[in-house]
Amino acid sequence: MNILSNLLSQPRSESRPKRQRRGIEIKSAREIEIMRQSAKIVATVLKEISELVKPGMTTADLDAYAEKRIREMGATPSFKGYHGFPGSICSSINNEVVHGIPSSKKVICSGDVLKVDTGAFYQGFHGDSCITIAVEEVKPEDAKLIRVAEESLYKGIEQVKAGNYLMDIAGAIEDHVKANGFSVVEDFTGHGVGRNLHEEPSVFNFRTREMPNVKLRKGMTLAIEPILNAGSKFCKTLSDRWTAVTVDNSYSAQFEHTVLVTETGYEILTDRTKI
């Protein structure tokens, strides 16, 4: 799930001393192990949704399935009730960029570009991930948008290791997106994740001097999530106060992983290929 700059983080547990640098938490070995479990729950749900989604289903069907499976695995949905959000997933279709509210009136159709974003809260820690699903056969230009969005995520992840910087991630994502003729959405960013669904630092998908270029340290956990538009980078929020759409009605795609910074590289905690 993305965070608007003016949203507040969830209350922090005071069960242990804070170990922070510039507000950034470094997770202990025990905390990382718990996050592996919360992330595995998220990865499992998204993998299952990618396999069961079909035309005629509604986004409310997917939401109900996600909540049921998250709870069956001993966790609670991170998104449900977060700043008043009503669903366990964000389900955004075609020109909807992020934060689409699940609805029984929103029917999934063949050719749709469907973004499904979800999180799980397990034993005090969150996992967070998003996929974009091509529903049956999509247009070639939409297939390319989805492919480049996923590629850009891994381009960013490849820059993750202790000693590198946030702008190494941002630059790799931005360069790949622009080289393929798409635009990077700048209204939303990735973020730290752990005890809170959204923590410091903001993880940009484009080069900027808006925030400090933080050095990555072993034990950081980041939600990296490039969002691409086929046309303009600009978005607007609908009257439901959640759903962001493209201003020019172009399609959008997004992928996200929860990633652990290690001494020599990274570990993708929400890796669906290991389920």
Side-chain angles (χ1 to χ4, degrees):
M1 188 183 225
N2 311 94
I3 184 169
L4 293 167
S5 60
N6 63 342
L7 287 184
L8 300 175
S9 295
Q10 292 179 319
R12 182 186 303 279
S13 168
E14 298 298 337
S15 60
R16 67 177 180 86
K18 298 175 185 178
R19 294 180 289 105
Q20 300 176 318
R21 185 187 186 197
R22 295 178 182 172
I24 299 171
E25 285 204 352
I26 304 300
K27 275 68 175 184
S28 68
R30 172 187 167 276
E31 291 165 347
I32 290 167
E33 187 54 39
I34 295 172
M35 286 196 67
R36 287 192 179 102
Q37 298 307 309
S38 62
K40 183 177 180 180
I41 292 168
V42 173
T44 299
V45 170
L46 288 179
K47 182 178 181 181
E48 291 176 1
I49 284 177
S50 71
E51 293 168 350
L52 68 85
V53 67
K54 61 182 179 180
M57 297 182 73
T58 69
T59 55
D61 294 331
L62 299 183
D63 185 67
Y65 181 87
E67 179 171 2
K68 174 176 176 290
R69 291 292 290 127
I70 289 169
R71 294 189 186 280
E72 283 177 348
M73 289 183 277
T76 56
S78 297
F79 295 3
K80 194 160 191 177
Y82 186 67
H83 297 286
F85 188 77
S88 296
I89 64 170
C90 294
S91 51
S92 309
I93 298 176
N94 298 335
N95 70 320
E96 296 173 344
V97 180
V98 292
H99 303 159
I101 298 174
S103 170
S104 59
K105 297 179 181 179
K106 192 173 290 184
V107 179
I108 298 164
C109 300
S110 179
D112 278 346
V113 175
L114 170 66
K115 282 78 69 180
V116 179
D117 190 356
T118 196
F121 185 62
Y122 177 78
Q123 294 186 9
F125 289 86
H126 296 271
D128 189 7
S129 187
C130 178
I131 58 175
T132 298
I133 302 167
V135 182
E136 294 191 332
E137 189 171 351
V138 300
K139 296 177 181 177
E141 57 267 32
D142 298 334
K144 180 182 177 183
L145 176 68
I146 295 169
R147 174 178 59 79
V148 173
E150 187 168 24
E151 289 173 351
S152 67
L153 170 61
Y154 288 102
K155 292 289 185 181
I157 291 173
E158 287 169 2
Q159 299 301 313
V160 174
K161 69 175 181 179
N164 274 9
Y165 289 83
L166 285 177
M167 285 305 113
D168 294 323
I169 299 171
I173 291 171
E174 180 179 32
D175 289 347
H176 190 68
V177 172
K178 290 185 175 179
N180 283 277
F182 299 118
S183 60
V184 177
V185 172
E186 298 181 4
D187 291 344
F188 307 96
T189 73
H191 50 90
V193 60
R195 270 178 206 281
N196 303 303
L197 181 57
H198 295 110
E199 299 181 343
E200 292 297 329
S202 295
V203 182
F204 285 83
N205 300 310
F206 57 96
R207 295 176 181 89
T208 179
R209 294 183 179 179
E210 182 178 334
M211 299 288 286
N213 188 14
V214 174
K215 180 184 285 190
L216 304 180
R217 297 175 61 203
K218 179 181 177 181
M220 288 182 179
T221 45
L222 308 174
I224 303 173
E225 49 182 319
I227 309 169
L228 284 59
N229 288 349
S232 170
K233 68 181 180 180
F234 294 106
C235 309
K236 62 182 178 181
T237 301
L238 299 182
S239 58
D240 64 16
R241 301 179 66 183
W242 280 104
T243 309
V245 300
T246 57
V247 296
D248 58 2
N249 207 39
S250 62
Y251 280 17
S252 187
Q254 175 192 5
F255 282 88
E256 174 187 19
H257 273 311
T258 295
V259 180
L260 169 68
V261 180
T262 69
E263 194 66 50
T264 58
Y266 58 85
E267 179 183 345
I268 301 174
L269 301 182
T270 47
D271 189 350
R272 297 178 303 281
T273 67
K274 295 182 179 179
I275 302 301

